[in-house]
Each structure stands twice: as C-alpha cells, then as structure tokens.
C-alpha cells in the first residue's frame, strides 16, 4: 500500500475542457444557465428561436471545465456539455 | 418549426428518460419544476437502480404533469390521491420502488391525510414534493403552504392562515428521511434523491421552486431568475436541524438540508413478520 505520492516526475494536474451543446429550439430563455455558469461561459443572445425566446450563446468555450451545472439546472433539457479534452495545467 | 432532433449529436443525454413526444413541456419560463425533474433524472442515473422496477406516480397540478414526461412506468392519478395510489402499487408489488412526484397543493392540501398516514405506516416510497407556495395551475390561489401576509388571487389583502411546515409534518408523522432543498441546489438535490432512492421507508424531499407567473408576479418579486437569486442569498444549509425551526415566512431566510435520517421497520416488513408469526401458531 502506498502512503505517499511520488514527489518527482509526477504528472501535472489536468483541467478538463468541455464542449457545450445547446438545443436552441427547446430553450425558453429563463437565463438560469447564463447566471449560474461558474466560469461565465454563456451569454444571452439577441437572436430569437421559433417560440420567440432568446437562447444563450457560447462566449468563450475554452473556459468551460465540463462541470455540468448548466445541464442540471436547465429546466428545459436544452443544454449539456461533454468532455472534449483534458489540458495540463500551466505552471 | 424545425425538428428538435436533427442528428445524433442533438440528443440530450437525458432524452432516453423522457417521453420525447411530449417535450417541450408546459411549464413557464423561469419555473423550477423542470430543474427538479432534471435533478430527479440525474439522481436516478446516480443511484443506478433498476429502472424496470421503478415507477412514478403524480397527482394533479403543475408538478402533477411530471409522470407524463418521465419515461418510467408512470401513473397520473386523481387530485391528491397520488400517495393512496402509490400505497396500492407498493402493497400489491413490494419489489417496486415507488416515487411520488407532486406539488404542495396536491400532497399537503387535498392529499394531506394520505401523506400523514403513509408516513405513519412507513410505506416504502420516495415523495418528492415541489413547493411553490401556491396553486399555480388553477390561477394562484392560497395553498396550505402559502406564507403569512402573502398576496394571492384569493387573498387580495394578504394570506392570514399560518402555513404548513412540510418537514415538521413529515418528521412528526414518522418519515425516515426528510430533506429540503431549493431549485437552485441542484447538486445537493441530486445527491439527496440518489440517497433517498436507496433508503427503505417513507422518504420526503421538499423542493422549493420559484413560480414566476403567479407567486412572484402577484407579490412583485420579479421573474424566476430573481427568485433564484433570492434563494442564493437567503438560504442556509443546516443538516440535522430540528424540524420545528423550519417555518418559512414571506421572503424570510429558508433553512435547507437533510434533517431526518433514521431507521424504522417498513409497512411490508412488519406485515410479513406479523403474518409469519400468526401463521405459525
């Protein structure tokens, strides 16, 4: 059993980077995902969907850490994120 | 209108738990019931229970439509009788895990008697009660959970009736698991649902949800997002708090958390034990 971590040559911690998918036609524009995204990736857009609501748009997708909060807080099942890649943390 | 699903990439991961022919649902923009359903679907996935042995029962009301949207064996019952029907399902087939997903007006008002007696008998079911403080589907009438001095369609000078404290009611009637979360605490709600799904006995989870069209419009509280911001600033997590202290007033601090987690023999356990004892003699 190992009690300590390997001190040298250890891999750098990795940060996940997510890809956000939005189903714009399902959105009702409540703004929960935009308000509570911890990395402020989303923003309300000016465009309309066919129901006349403003769906969110992606501002800076490289900041997304694939936490999945938007997926869980969305009442309309209209947004989710998937893991794109894991980026090693810079020093 | 464009079709909702264009390619395989446009399929939401929760779509296989939903009846897609009924989506989009009827809930208003800013309503928290959809968030509760999302947390419920995530909790089902997290608990890893057999979905063929799970069934969901709903009553009437905004939240009563959940059974029509979730792709489990579902039952949409008469007003207030969701727990009564769920008791029948549970007693007829004790292998099933029954989930009752309904609103405060359905479960606590017209179905209040079924609620306390199912808790007293400790029937093995999970009750998710979405509390939006009002009868929303019928136009914003006073519910038994409407806080004092709140305006509603039927109380134009402010509600004068003291409201029910749902965790206290469930605790004193004998529920084995009582928790309360808001629609904002989605992660904790998901974990709580996953925990309660594995617990035998009568579990109650109260979900406080914004009602953007009636409760907040009549009381001038803004839209659903403003209510969520209010929950963000005015909720306090206190696990194991005495359920007597959990009253909710109009725009007062809301205490959330897991309050009760105890063991009691369930109805079917005591029934089978009693039956085997009498048959032996």
């Amino acid at each position: 059993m190992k009690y300590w971590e390997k001190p040298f040559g250890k891999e750098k911690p990795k940060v996940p980077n997510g890809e956000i998918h939005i189903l714009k036609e399902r959105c009702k524009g409540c703004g929960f995902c935009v308000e509570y995204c911890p990395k402020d990736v989303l923003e309300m857009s000016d465009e309309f969907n066919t129901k006349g609501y403003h769906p969110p748009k992606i501002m800076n997708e490289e900041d997304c850490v694939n936490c999945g909060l938007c997926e869980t807080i969305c009442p309309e099942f209209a947004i989710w994120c998937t893991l794109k890649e894991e980026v090693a943390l810079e020093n | 209108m464009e079709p909702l699903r264009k390619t395989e990439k446009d399929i939401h991961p929760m779509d296989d738990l939903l009846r897609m022919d009924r989506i989009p649902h009827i809930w208003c923009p800013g309503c928290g019931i959809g968030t509760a359903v999302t947390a419920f679907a995530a909790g089902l996935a997290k608990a890893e229970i057999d979905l063929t042995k799970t069934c969901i029962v709903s009553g009437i009301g905004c939240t009563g439509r959940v059974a029509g949207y979730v792709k489990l064996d579902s039952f949409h019952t008469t007003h207030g009788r969701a727990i009564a029907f769920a008791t029948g399902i549970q007693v007829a087939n004790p292998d099933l895990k029954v989930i009752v997903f309904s609103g405060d007006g359905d479960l606590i008002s017209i179905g209040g008697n079924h609620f306390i007696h199912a808790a007293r008998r400790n029937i093995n079911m999970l009750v998710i009660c979405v509390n939006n403080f009002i009868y929303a589907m019928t136009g914003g009438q006073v519910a038994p959970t409407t806080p004092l001095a709140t305006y509603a369609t039927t109380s134009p000078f402010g509600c004068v009736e003291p409201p029910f404290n749902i965790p206290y009611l469930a605790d004193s009637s004998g529920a084995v698991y009582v928790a309360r979360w808001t629609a904002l605490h989605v992660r904790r709600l998901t974990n709580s649902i996953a925990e309660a799904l594995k617990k035998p006995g009568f579990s109650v989870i109260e979900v406080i949800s914004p009602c953007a069209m009636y409760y907040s419009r009549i009381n001038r509280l803004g839209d659903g997002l403003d209510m969520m911001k209010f929950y963000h600033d005015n909720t306090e997590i206190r696990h194991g708090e005495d359920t007597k202290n959990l009253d909710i007033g109009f725009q007062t601090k809301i205490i959330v958390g897991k309050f009760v987690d105890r063991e009691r023999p369930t109805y079917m356990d005591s029934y089978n034990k009693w039956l085997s004892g009498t048959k032996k003699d």
Side-chain angles (χ1 to χ4, degrees), chain A residues 27-35 42-47 53-59, chain B residues 225:
Chain A
C27 179
K28 286 184 188 163
C30 64
F32 291 173
C33 55
V34 176
E35 175 71 25
L42 299 161
E43 191 186 50
M44 294 309 276
S45 65
D46 293 331
E47 63 172 308
Y53 297 112
H54 297 290
K57 68 176 177 188
I58 302 162
M59 286 300 289
Chain B
L225 190 55

Side-chain angles (χ1 to χ4, degrees), chain B residues 142-156:
Chain B
V142 169
T145 44
T146 308
L148 273 175
T150 306
Y151 295 114
T153 314
T154 49
S155 67

Side-chain angles (χ1 to χ4, degrees), chain B residues 104-119:
Chain B
D104 56 314
D106 187 65
L107 287 177
I108 307 301
S109 164
I110 188 165
N113 215 357
H114 301 300
F115 183 83
I116 56 176
H117 285 288

Side-chain angles (χ1 to χ4, degrees), chain B residues 26-126:
Chain B
I26 63 154
W27 298 314
C28 316
C31 177
I33 301 173
T35 308
V37 176
T38 319
F40 170 65
L44 275 181
K46 191 167 185 175
E48 292 177 344
I49 55 171
D50 186 4
L51 294 185
T52 56
K53 292 202 170 167
T54 309
C55 71
I56 179 165
V57 185
S58 286
I60 300 295
C62 286
T63 323
R65 298 188 66 92
V66 171
Y69 294 130
V70 179
K71 203 177 187 176
L72 298 171
D73 287 341
S74 52
F75 204 1
H76 193 190
T77 67
T78 47
H79 196 3
R81 314 296 174 224
I83 290 182
F85 280 82
T87 306
I89 295 171
Q90 175 62 38
V91 173
N93 191 347
D95 292 340
L96 292 179
K97 181 71 190 175
V98 189
I99 297 141
V100 176
F101 207 124
S102 208
D104 56 314
D106 187 65
L107 287 177
I108 307 301
S109 164
I110 188 165
N113 215 357
H114 301 300
F115 183 83
I116 56 176
H117 285 288
R120 171 178 68 85
R121 294 174 182 136
N122 198 18
I123 292 168
N124 183 13
M125 66 170 80
L126 164 63

Side-chain angles (χ1 to χ4, degrees), chain B residues 120-141:
Chain B
R120 171 178 68 85
R121 294 174 182 136
N122 198 18
I123 292 168
N124 183 13
M125 66 170 80
L126 164 63
V127 177
I128 301 173
C129 176
V130 177
N131 181 0
N132 51 12
F133 304 118
I134 214 158
Y135 282 103
M137 182 165 271
T138 48
Q141 289 84 4

Side-chain angles (χ1 to χ4, degrees), chain B residues 114-254:
Chain B
H114 301 300
F115 183 83
I116 56 176
H117 285 288
R120 171 178 68 85
R121 294 174 182 136
N122 198 18
I123 292 168
N124 183 13
M125 66 170 80
L126 164 63
V127 177
I128 301 173
C129 176
V130 177
N131 181 0
N132 51 12
F133 304 118
I134 214 158
Y135 282 103
M137 182 165 271
T138 48
Q141 289 84 4
V142 169
T145 44
T146 308
L148 273 175
T150 306
Y151 295 114
T153 314
T154 49
S155 67
F157 306 107
C159 177
V160 291
E161 307 164 9
F164 259 136
N165 174 350
I166 298 177
Y168 187 32
L169 183 68
D171 181 19
S172 50
S173 311
V176 293
Y177 184 98
V178 181
R180 174 197 270 165
W181 299 106
T182 71
L184 179 67
H185 298 83
V186 274
R187 293 260 189 246
R188 294 171 190 272
L189 178 60
T190 305
N191 293 340
S192 195
I193 288 172
E195 191 183 352
L197 277 172
K198 292 192 170 168
K199 191 157 177 72
F202 191 82
S203 320
V204 181
I205 298 175
E206 182 189 5
V207 186
I208 293 178
S209 151
C211 176
M213 286 297 142
Y214 286 105
Y215 182 75
S216 64
R217 185 168 56 82
I218 297 172
N219 292 293
R220 312 234 180 261
L221 302 175
D223 58 5
L225 190 55
D226 293 319
M227 299 269 291
M228 288 290 237
K229 286 176 186 165
F230 171 78
Y231 297 152
H232 182 268
D233 298 336
N234 292 284
T235 50
E236 190 180 326
I237 298 174
R238 280 193 218 158
H239 292 299
E241 175 75 17
D242 190 352
T243 47
K244 278 178 192 166
N245 310 330
L246 300 176
D247 280 321
I248 300 178
F250 180 61
Q251 297 298 88
T252 55
K253 177 166 274 191
I254 299 172

